[in-house]
């Protein structure tokens, strides 16, 4: 995996939600990485202390400790490769893992001979092997097999007298036995997170593709019908041109009307796909601000979809952008309610006093012009550390209000 989320906006910068998700995935990886390397480092420390407790060669603790640090560093190379395992091609990249595996073998053989432990001789290689990019289902078998071998070698060391049989003497052996399973369990959670995130991204891309296909089908049906009619009308006009000029002129006029109908139908189709119910607009604004890290309170009327989307939709989008750019980034409040003379949309966010310039920029100036053209009003206030934009627009058809609700 790369440091960014698998989900990316292919048409520009990723949205705040995607950026926050990317940060969360990256943080999860570093938690996983830290857990694995800490377990390995602690194991090296335990075996170094075990070497110190055994009288004999004074160089044994240095060989076990310093050699263990070299092996520990080599496993970081394997972990770095594991992070990209879902993007890797099938098979094992021996050129990248050969050196870490040789380091594990060398450390295990030398340290095992120094303190006379078969368990320590196999443990570094077993731990390094479970970090490889095994095909699905193979890694579990590898973990089970290596764990059984480590258990067997622990009992062989005890039978040979190479390990103490008391509880303290079994602590290094126990850590050596369980470290492959502990490491794989940590990496499994990382795999689950990445798999779920990629499934969500695939679902989003599939939904977008299906929507594009639906739009393409509607455009094809609309334009195909009108173009066929226009072609027939022009063909008929061509045939009538020499024998009945008046009838030919009527067909040309009818063809022009068909062109206007096709153009209007295309415009209506584009408007229908661009239009989003106002309730969804406010809900999307709420989710966007929440994804950016704000504490958002949203109050949306139950019949918000009846509000004039052509007037309020751009206002909601522009004010949401204004909050992201100029707000202090802690809290925001959104409300879309019915009032006696139309609809009222309110957006408020916290600001830092004395920091930055005047929040009202060209974007809100455009909102003011749009609302004025729709016959509404725009009010902007800033007090007590809060920036408030209040928009009111009339409604041509207003059924009786049935109260307000929270979505």
């Amino acid at each position: 995996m790369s440091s960014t989320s698998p989900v990316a906006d292919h048409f520009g910068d990723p949205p705040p939600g995607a950026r926050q998700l990317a940060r969360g995935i990256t943080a999860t990886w570093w938690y996983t990485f830290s857990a694995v390397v800490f377990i390995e480092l602690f194991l090296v420390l335990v075996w170094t202390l075990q070497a110190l407790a055994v009288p004999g060669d004074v160089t044994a603790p240095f060989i076990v400790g310093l050699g263990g640090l070299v092996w520990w560093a080599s496993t970081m190379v394997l972990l770095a490769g594991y992070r990209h395992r879902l993007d890797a091609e099938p098979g094992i990249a021996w050129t990248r893992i050969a050196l870490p595996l040789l380091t594990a073998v060398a450390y295990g053989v030398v340290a095992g001979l120094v303190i006379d432990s078969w368990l320590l001789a196999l443990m570094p290689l077993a731990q390094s092997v479970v970090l490889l990019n095994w095909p699905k289902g193979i890694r579990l078998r590898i973990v089970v097999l290596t764990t059984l071998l480590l258990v067997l070698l622990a009992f062989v060391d005890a039978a040979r007298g190479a390990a103490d049989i008391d509880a303290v003497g079994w602590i290094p052996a126990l850590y050596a036995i369980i470290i492959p399973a502990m490491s794989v369990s940590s990496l499994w959670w990382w795999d689950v997170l990445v798999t779920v995130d990629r499934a969500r991204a695939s679902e989003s891309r599939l939904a977008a593709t299906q929507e594009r296909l639906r739009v393409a089908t509607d455009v094809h049906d609309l334009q195909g019908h009108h173009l066929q009619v226009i072609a027939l009308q022009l063909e008929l006009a061509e045939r009538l041109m020499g024998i009945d000029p008046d009838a030919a002129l009527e067909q040309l006029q009818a063809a022009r009307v068909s062109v206007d109908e096709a153009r209007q139908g295309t415009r209506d189709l584009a408007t229908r796909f661009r239009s989003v119910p106002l309730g969804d607009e406010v809900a999307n604004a709420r989710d966007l601000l929440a994804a950016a890290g704000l504490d958002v309170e949203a109050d949306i009327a139950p019949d918000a979809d009846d509000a004039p989307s052509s007037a309020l939709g751009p206002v909601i989008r522009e004010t949401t952008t204004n909050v992201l750019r100029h707000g202090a980034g802690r809290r925001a409040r959104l409300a879309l309610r019915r009032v006696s003379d139309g609809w009222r949309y309110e957006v408020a966010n916290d600001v830092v006093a004395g920091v930055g310039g005047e929040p009202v920029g060209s974007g809100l100036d455009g909102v003011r012009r749009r609302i004025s053209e729709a016959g509404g009003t725009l009010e902007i206030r800033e007090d007590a550390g809060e920036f408030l934009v209040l928009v009111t627009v009339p409604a041509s058809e207003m059924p009786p209000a049935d109260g307000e609700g929270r979505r």
Side-chain angles (χ1 to χ4, degrees), residues 303 306 338-339 397-403:
D303 55 347
D306 297 334
R338 301 190 65 169
V339 292
E397 296 181 2
M398 289 287 298
D402 57 354

Side-chain angles (χ1 to χ4, degrees), residues 16 19 288-290 292-294 319-327 329 349:
R19 291 195 296 267
L288 178 61
L289 294 175
L294 280 73
T319 53
T320 301
T321 301
N322 193 69
V323 172
L324 292 173
R325 289 179 178 175
H326 302 289
N349 63 278

Side-chain angles (χ1 to χ4, degrees), residues 102-370:
L102 290 176
T103 302
V105 172
Y107 170 62
V109 171
V110 174
L113 290 175
V114 167
I115 66 172
D116 190 23
S117 172
W118 289 16
L119 176 62
L120 181 57
L122 180 63
M123 182 275 299
L125 180 61
Q127 171 64 7
S128 298
V129 165
V130 299
L131 300 181
L132 299 181
N133 181 20
W134 294 103
K136 184 178 181 181
I138 300 299
R139 187 176 53 170
L140 177 60
R141 301 174 189 175
I142 296 295
V143 172
V144 173
L145 177 61
T146 54
T147 301
L148 292 177
L149 287 176
L150 292 173
V151 171
L152 177 61
L153 293 179
F155 281 101
V156 170
D157 283 348
R160 295 188 305 109
D164 295 333
I165 60 174
D166 58 0
V168 175
W170 273 99
I171 290 178
L174 178 62
Y175 275 108
I177 292 171
I178 66 176
I179 187 173
M182 293 177 64
S183 300
V184 169
S185 64
S186 297
L187 296 175
W188 178 77
W189 283 108
W190 161 254
D191 290 344
V192 169
L193 173 67
V194 174
T195 302
V196 170
D197 177 63
R198 292 198 168 195
R200 185 187 62 82
S202 298
E203 183 180 4
S204 299
R205 288 193 295 268
L206 178 60
T209 301
Q210 291 175 336
E211 184 67 14
R212 292 189 186 101
L213 289 175
R214 187 163 69 91
V215 173
T217 300
D218 289 347
V219 171
H220 175 271
D221 293 343
L222 174 67
Q223 295 293 344
H225 167 74
H226 284 291
L227 289 175
Q228 185 178 12
V229 172
I230 293 169
L232 291 174
Q233 290 169 336
L234 292 177
E235 182 181 355
L236 182 57
E238 183 180 6
R239 293 180 179 179
L240 294 174
M241 190 68 67
I243 58 177
D244 192 349
D246 293 337
L249 180 60
E250 290 180 0
Q251 292 301 321
L252 289 176
Q253 292 173 342
R256 186 180 63 182
V257 172
S258 297
V259 170
D260 292 336
E261 291 177 352
R263 183 170 54 192
Q264 183 60 42
T266 303
R267 184 183 299 111
D268 294 341
L269 180 63
T271 302
R272 175 159 58 91
F273 280 105
R274 286 198 302 263
S275 299
V276 178
L278 259 296
D280 292 342
E281 284 278 13
V282 181
N284 292 339
R286 174 197 60 199
D287 295 341
L288 178 61
L289 294 175
L294 280 73
D295 182 13
V296 185
E297 176 184 351
D299 185 7
I300 310 174
D303 55 347
D305 292 348
D306 297 334
S309 59
S310 60
L312 287 178
V315 172
I316 294 174
R317 293 188 290 270
E318 180 61 39
T319 53
T320 301
T321 301
N322 193 69
V323 172
L324 292 173
R325 289 179 178 175
H326 302 289
R330 290 190 297 270
R331 65 182 184 276
R333 185 177 71 255
L334 311 175
L336 177 60
R337 306 185 185 94
R338 301 190 65 169
V339 292
S340 58
D341 55 347
W343 290 88
R344 183 175 65 189
Y345 176 67
E346 176 182 335
V347 54
N349 63 278
D350 57 329
V351 294
V352 178
V355 177
E358 176 62 39
V360 183
S362 59
L364 290 184
D365 289 339
V367 169
R368 188 188 300 276
R369 289 192 299 269
R370 182 181 296 272

